[in-house]
Amino acid sequence: MKKSDMKNNNLTKEALIEHVKLAINPHFKDWVLFKNGTYIIIENLEKGETIEALAMQKMKEFGPVHVGSPAGDFNTITLNKTEGWVIAGHGYGMYTYVHPSEVEDPEAQDYVIGLFGRNKRDEDGQHPEIIYVNRA
């Protein structure tokens, strides 16, 4: 990773978008990225709905973490086409990207990375801000 990809120990918006593009199966064309790295894949858009509105609705419903509920569960997936991991959890089609620079210990176990990603999703759920929309 280039130093220009970093901003206050976080990825720049542009670098985050590029990593997420590489993390998503190219089969999925419609998706929305939130400020802290959570993205939602949109598969079935109803007539009259917008991608942004549906993503915001899903984020408000499934983004906030409630420990001890399904919203607290997660799965850590190591990526092949880019550095880092995606964290899957509560809410179909919702994932959170975690870059290696965000994790202090380069040998961190999956559950540590997953907890970090879950916290990022919670932040996006509490304060949703869309930074990128990809359309077919």
Side-chain angles (χ1 to χ4, degrees):
M1 184 180 69
K2 302 176 298 220
K3 201 165 198 145
S4 61
D5 286 348
M6 298 296 295
K7 186 176 184 180
N8 298 330
N9 202 30
N10 291 316
L11 295 173
T12 62
K13 176 180 162 182
E14 294 77 19
L16 176 60
I17 292 166
E18 289 308 310
H19 283 290
V20 170
K21 282 181 180 179
L22 292 169
I24 294 177
N25 180 330
H27 169 78
F28 300 110
K29 305 292 184 195
D30 295 327
W31 50 273
V32 175
L33 176 62
F34 289 81
K35 182 179 180 180
N36 294 291
T38 304
Y39 60 93
I40 300 174
I41 295 170
I42 307 295
E43 290 186 89
N44 300 312
L45 198 60
E46 298 290 327
K47 189 173 183 174
E49 280 185 312
T50 67
I51 293 172
E52 296 88 343
L54 184 56
M56 196 62 82
Q57 174 189 349
K58 287 185 172 208
M59 180 57 75
K60 288 178 181 176
E61 182 177 353
F62 298 112
V65 173
H66 307 285
V67 177
S69 75
D73 294 341
F74 61 86
N75 184 27
T76 304
I77 302 163
T78 302
L79 296 170
N80 295 324
K81 294 183 180 178
T82 191
E83 300 175 282
W85 307 266
V86 291
I87 311 307
H90 188 58
Y92 177 77
M94 180 181 287
Y95 303 91
T96 304
Y97 175 75
V98 176
H99 190 271
S101 67
E102 297 178 287
V103 181
E104 289 183 27
D105 180 2
E107 304 296 321
Q109 294 185 4
D110 283 355
Y111 80 91
V112 173
I113 297 162
L115 286 170
F116 181 77
R118 186 183 71 176
N119 288 339
K120 289 176 59 168
R121 186 189 83 216
D122 184 53
E123 184 64 28
D124 279 329
Q126 298 293 334
H127 309 284
E129 181 182 329
I130 294 173
I131 64 167
Y132 181 79
V133 176
N134 198 82
R135 290 185 177 87

